[in-house]
Amino acid sequence: MWLGTQSVNELGHLTIGGCDAVQLAEQFGTPLYVLDEAAFRERCRAYREAFQSRKPDTQIAYAGKALLNLAVCQIIAEEGLALDVASGGELYTALRAGYPPEQIHMHGVYKTEAELRQALDARIGTIVLDNFDEIARLQSLLAPHETVRVMIRVAPEVEASTHPLIRTGQRDSKFGFHLMNGDAERATAQVLTEPRFQLKGFHCHIGSQISELDAFAEATRAMVAFAETIRQRYGYAAPVLNLGGGLAVRYTPDDAPPSVGALAEVMVQTLRAECARYGYPEPALVVEPGRSLIAEAGITLYRVGAVKHVPHERRDIPQTYLIVDGGVSDNPRPQMYGACYTALNASRAHPHLPRQPYRILGKHCETDPIIEWAELPETRVGDVIAVLTTGAYAYSMSSNYNRYPRPAMVLVREGQARLIVQRETLEAVIQHDLPAR
Ligand code: LLP
């Protein structure tokens, strides 16, 4: 499963962005996150092309929670993408990167007063309102004649088939104003009567790592139906509809997510058909993918520190364990969601070598399998292992568990590697500690 610019060189090493992965591991140390700039940019362009060729007034907003740092902000700005931030920290990162604030919209189920203040002071594009308490909080922060552009997040009550922890638009979701209980309508009515709010439209996001396009169509139908109800009752037509992110990516060769073109086709056609049905003026569209823009552009390199033969009775895991120098602190997804990944032996990447099964585990003080069953050529201590598709929700969810410093990240392109996130130092790990006395 080669992704992006991945290939193998004459030494039999994995290459990415024209760089030898084994050399990267030597030069920058391991664990190491590697981001394939061409692959990332290619996905940004594929999204713009897929949507804007069908509907020119579509805005692609990158969901920064997938992975945000100064370099990523610069790239998305260059690619003409807008940005979705979900916290004061993400907003701060974007502003420090010089990312244009008017292109930013802010999400969050609990934006604190400080975060709302930060958004207002930076004059970001839009605040996406999530609940009644937040409406009141934002009103209390606005000066008498200060205005702010807002959208209303609606829980469309669509059950997307994905891991329950990353489903967000269903009946029991904590996110947004629900449709059935009338909250979405009440919130709209309230927002429309506040002269300091400029309502841009409605937003929904049904979840993440979703492969069934029907769920996106269903959400689109629910949103247009809701918008039509509001138009009939309040005479307000939404100029913008934001249908969220959530498209699945390839973690293993068994994954076959729909193409961006197929997603665009379903969303745009459903939106058009539903608007035509009600005679609703077609709103501009926003989509906000995170994972499907950046996940496949990222890999993590680890070094094998021990090979253990563990005789056991289980059939579902191999008896040879590879212990690598990372794990749950740089990628909690296998433990949190039972997420499956694909690994390559970057030191012996030739596709025709005979393979045997390995269980790849991290070095933390608990059982933290990274991959339960990996088929690799004979692997030895010192080999470099590459875990694919770690561009999204790995670094962004990393921790200092066991007081490990967070790994570095390099951006690779055409044979050049550039350090974009420094490896944390041990001193940085303790920098906020204070002595007891
Ligand atoms: N918009 C909103 C409002 C969201 O909450 C999210 C993701 C996105 C867009 C982007 O979704 P994407 O295109 O990346 O699927 N930590 C989990 C994923 C959590 C997703 C949270 N929201 C994981 O590692 O799978």
Side-chain angles (χ1 to χ4, degrees):
M1 188 174 92
W2 302 120
L3 299 171
T5 64
Q6 292 160 19
S7 183
V8 57
N9 66 14
E10 59 292 346
L11 298 171
H13 295 172
L14 171 71
T15 65
I16 175 167
C19 295
D20 181 314
V22 176
Q23 260 177 29
L24 291 175
E26 257 147 44
Q27 187 181 347
F28 297 98
T30 49
L32 181 68
Y33 298 105
V34 184
L35 192 60
D36 182 341
E37 184 172 348
F40 179 34
R41 286 185 187 270
E42 201 280 313
R43 289 297 282 178
C44 294
R45 288 168 200 172
Y47 252 102
R48 285 191 55 177
E49 151 66 23
F51 277 90
Q52 291 170 354
S53 64
R54 292 171 170 88
K55 183 166 166 55
D57 59 348
T58 306
Q59 185 185 59
I60 313 297
Y62 171 64
K65 66 207 81 187
L67 173 66
L68 206 67
N69 53 47
L70 301 184
V72 165
C73 288
Q74 287 166 346
I75 293 173
I76 61 156
E78 284 167 13
E79 292 298 332
L81 267 54
L83 176 64
D84 143 20
V85 298
S87 70
E90 290 177 9
L91 177 56
Y92 186 79
T93 306
L95 296 175
R96 287 295 298 268
Y99 186 87
E102 67 280 1
Q103 292 280 96
I104 300 176
H105 63 259
M106 189 184 226
H107 278 297
V109 69
Y110 178 6
K111 304 173 197 74
T112 63
E113 212 172 288
E115 287 174 319
L116 290 171
R117 231 324 31 120
Q118 202 185 340
L120 291 173
D121 289 349
R123 303 190 170 281
I124 69 163
T126 311
I127 295 176
V128 185
L129 298 168
D130 181 277
N131 55 71
F132 291 107
D133 299 296
E134 182 169 275
I135 293 179
R137 197 173 305 128
L138 184 55
Q139 281 175 313
S140 76
L141 290 176
L142 287 174
H145 298 292
E146 188 178 4
T147 58
V148 60
R149 284 181 299 269
V150 296
M151 290 190 90
I152 290 175
R153 178 164 183 167
V154 175
E157 301 176 18
V158 169
E159 188 106 355
S161 80
T162 185
H163 192 285
L165 293 180
I166 56 176
R167 203 181 275 152
T168 50
Q170 76 284 12
R171 184 74 58 88
D172 67 358
S173 174
K174 73 169 183 178
F175 296 100
F177 296 96
H178 284 250
L179 282 179
M180 295 296 212
N181 65 4
D183 277 357
E185 180 174 342
R186 270 190 292 280
T188 309
Q190 204 174 317
V191 165
L192 287 172
T193 57
E194 167 58 83
R196 296 172 299 173
F197 286 157
Q198 296 169 0
L199 182 60
K200 278 179 63 182
F202 303 110
H203 165 275
C204 74
H205 170 74
I206 56 174
S208 203
Q209 185 61 10
I210 298 168
S211 283
E212 36 149 25
L213 292 175
D214 281 357
F216 293 108
E218 200 186 324
T220 308
R221 284 193 292 271
M223 292 301 283
V224 179
F226 169 69
E228 170 61 7
T229 305
I230 295 297
R231 185 172 67 133
Q232 299 220 344
R233 296 191 184 153
Y234 304 88
Y236 167 84
V240 183
L241 214 52
N242 180 335
L243 295 175
L247 184 64
V249 301
R250 284 170 293 179
Y251 285 100
T252 72
D254 295 335
D255 295 327
S259 67
V260 178
L263 175 72
E265 186 67 21
V266 162
M267 272 189 181
V268 172
Q269 289 319 325
T270 310
L271 178 64
R272 288 231 159 101
E274 294 304 290
C275 287
R277 188 144 81 95
Y278 301 116
Y280 196 88
E282 191 180 303
L285 176 61
V286 180
V287 288
E288 48 186 19
R291 189 191 311 266
S292 54
L293 282 171
I294 205 160
E296 292 181 12
I299 65 171
T300 308
L301 299 179
Y302 301 101
R303 201 173 285 280
V304 177
V307 181
K308 286 192 175 182
H309 298 281
V310 182
H312 60 68
E313 306 297 309
R314 283 177 63 178
R315 291 289 178 102
D316 57 331
I317 51 175
Q319 296 194 350
T320 312
Y321 292 7
L322 301 177
I323 312 294
V324 299
D325 55 356
V328 64
S329 65
D330 60 77
N331 184 1
R333 299 193 70 260
Q335 283 203 325
M336 284 181 80
Y337 317 115
C340 295
Y341 284 87
T342 300
L344 301 173
N345 183 328
S347 309
R348 304 165 209 278
H350 207 282
H352 302 303
L353 295 173
R355 269 140 220 283
Q356 57 195 74
Y358 291 100
R359 187 183 194 203
I360 306 177
L361 297 112
K363 64 187 286 193
H364 296 81
C365 299
E366 59 186 281
T367 305
D368 61 341
I370 300 171
I371 301 184
E372 292 286 26
W373 191 288
E375 306 259 339
L376 301 175
E378 193 189 342
T379 296
R380 306 190 191 134
V381 167
D383 283 0
V384 175
I385 297 292
V387 174
L388 308 187
T389 322
T390 60
Y393 305 112
Y395 183 86
S396 67
M397 297 207 298
S398 63
S399 74
N400 288 123
Y401 181 42
N402 289 147
R403 300 234 113 182
Y404 284 120
R406 283 184 176 76
M409 186 178 299
V410 293
L411 186 68
V412 292
R413 179 188 182 171
E414 290 172 3
Q416 304 289 316
R418 186 182 170 82
L419 189 64
I420 57 166
V421 181
Q422 288 182 318
R423 186 173 302 282
E424 229 170 8
T425 59
L426 287 173
E427 203 44 44
V429 172
I430 67 152
Q431 71 181 332
H432 301 297
D433 295 4
L434 296 170
R437 55 184 63 82

